[in-house]
Amino acid sequence: MPRVLIAAPASGSGKTLITCGILQALVDRGLKVSSFKCGPDYIDPMFHSRVIGTRSKNLDAFFVGPDTLRYLFARTASETDISVIEGVMGYYDGLAADCSKASSSEVALITKTPTILLIDCKGASVSVLATLKGFLEFNDNTIKGVIFNRMSERVFDAIKPKAEAMGVKVIGYVPKVTDLILESRHLGLVLPSEIDSLKEKLHKLAEVLEESLDIDLLIELASAAPDLEIKEPQVPYVGNVRIGFAEDEAFCFTYVDNIELLHRCGAEIVPFSPIHDEKIPDVDGLVFSGGYPELHGKAIEANKSMRDSVLQALRDGMPCMAECGGFMYLHRKVEDGEGEMHDMCGFFDKDVYNTRKLTRFGYIKLEACEGMLPEGTLMKGHEFHYWDSEDSGSDWRASKPSGKEYRCIHDTGSMIAGFPHLYYYSNPEVAAGFLRKALEYKRR
């Protein structure tokens, strides 16, 4: 499984832009490519898959242990010619200010992936060698190559021999490409569908990188990655149930591995659009993932037949999993970015409002206290939202890596709904428990 990880000393170094350009260059060469994003981010994998056409997923060492992480990687990577993993934050940055747990470096070590360090060289020349030397000598790592970003060809020619003397492969440099920068918004990059001429931009970027990077050397480095020992995790099989999965421009934040785990447990996934379809499909349960309902309030409000269909199904006891944007959809009203309120489903007789600040952010461990799952069931997830509810729920316990604890999530026995994004592979029994409720509903 040829593979490389693109890491950087810090956020804002150009990882996503350069990773997208490398992926496009590999695809343009006719290679079958898979891509991964370290950490819980949804939008970067969406870019990789929807715009470039690669199979893209998340790799997160907080959510799952080493064996499961290797399995999730290998299941996709083994079907392609080469895999590119995009790092998160700085290479060694993890759960806390003083540890590298769940960092890009930990993912690289677990998956034995050669790392290419991307160094932003704006305003520096010889000093970038000190940065490189420090990263090579700090802690265990898999750094085997380097790319110098925002560096001129003249400076690169002078720096390259000194970098090679440190024992790393110098993949090349990236000149300043201001016309190819990707835009962003509060949850990360703007969605792929919103970028004008994005495909054209990435093809141009790939052409630039073919000139300034040694893509053949990158492939050679990826091909030198060692074999991995893979152990498939055990997943409970529940039975044949149909699960309606909300999927459109408003509901698009979904971990692909969550869907695949539901498949493994016996579910048939039936996509539907809360914006465009008239009513929910003929299903035994519903899943509403996160997304941007606040950006599509008018369209959601206009589709009254769908909202009524969802409300009736939930009142009839149809099992449901809803998180973040999907949870917002189940409220009475949601405020948009301009302060206008829009009608939602109304299952929760509360409103969602714009706090205009990051309300909650980061990894959490969750414990079910009562409801759909046995008391004490553990789960891992992530929160990142600027909007908040008048009642975010209190049926589960949440704890952050810092030790801070709080209550969250509504658990009615047939529904789990709240702001946390859940990662099903952190405890497959959570997905299985939901499907068991769906099976009971089907039999009724």
Side-chain angles (χ1 to χ4, degrees), residues 2-69:
R3 57 195 184 273
V4 293
L5 186 146
I6 308 298
S11 297
S13 299
K15 289 191 301 293
T16 296
L17 182 68
I18 304 308
T19 299
C20 287
I22 289 172
L23 288 170
Q24 188 66 66
L26 294 171
V27 170
D28 290 348
R29 285 183 171 215
L31 295 173
K32 188 176 181 181
V33 183
S34 56
S35 60
F36 299 85
K37 172 68 179 182
C38 293
D41 177 77
Y42 289 98
I43 300 182
D44 287 355
M46 211 181 303
F47 262 83
H48 300 167
S49 60
R50 296 189 183 183
V51 180
I52 303 167
T54 62
R55 297 188 62 186
S56 188
K57 297 181 180 180
N58 295 77
L59 290 176
D60 195 300
F62 171 78
F63 287 153
V64 297
D67 284 343
T68 301
L69 190 76

Side-chain angles (χ1 to χ4, degrees), residues 340-413:
E340 184 177 350
M341 302 297 290
H342 298 282
D343 290 338
M344 297 286 125
C345 292
F347 182 81
F348 295 111
D349 193 26
K350 300 291 181 179
D351 296 338
V352 174
Y353 55 93
N354 183 4
T355 68
R356 292 171 175 78
K357 64 181 180 179
L358 191 54
T359 302
R360 281 203 176 122
F361 167 73
Y363 290 115
I364 51 174
K365 294 181 180 179
L366 295 155
E367 180 183 355
C369 300
E370 54 183 314
M372 184 185 294
L373 304 170
E375 185 174 355
T377 299
L378 300 177
M379 179 63 127
K380 291 182 180 179
H382 185 268
E383 285 192 88
F384 193 122
H385 55 98
Y386 284 71
W387 270 248
D388 205 355
S389 168
E390 292 177 332
D391 182 2
S392 296
S394 59
D395 294 326
W396 286 24
R397 294 189 188 92
S399 61
K400 298 182 73 65
S402 64
K404 179 181 178 181
E405 296 184 356
Y406 55 95
R407 303 291 288 242
C408 63
I409 295 184
H410 294 270
D411 190 338
T412 67

Side-chain angles (χ1 to χ4, degrees), residues 20 50 64 77 90 105 110 155 159 174 226 258 278 285 289 332 340 353 365 399:
C20 287
R50 296 189 183 183
V64 297
S105 62
I110 290 172
V155 174
I159 293 296
V174 181
N258 281 1
E278 291 184 5
S289 297
R332 181 175 55 200
E340 184 177 350
Y353 55 93
K365 294 181 180 179
S399 61

Side-chain angles (χ1 to χ4, degrees), residues 45 57 81 102-103 152 217 233 257 291 303 309 335 360 369 409 420:
K57 297 181 180 180
D81 300 318
S103 65
S152 70
L217 181 58
D257 288 317
N303 195 348
S309 172
E335 181 185 7
R360 281 203 176 122
C369 300
I409 295 184

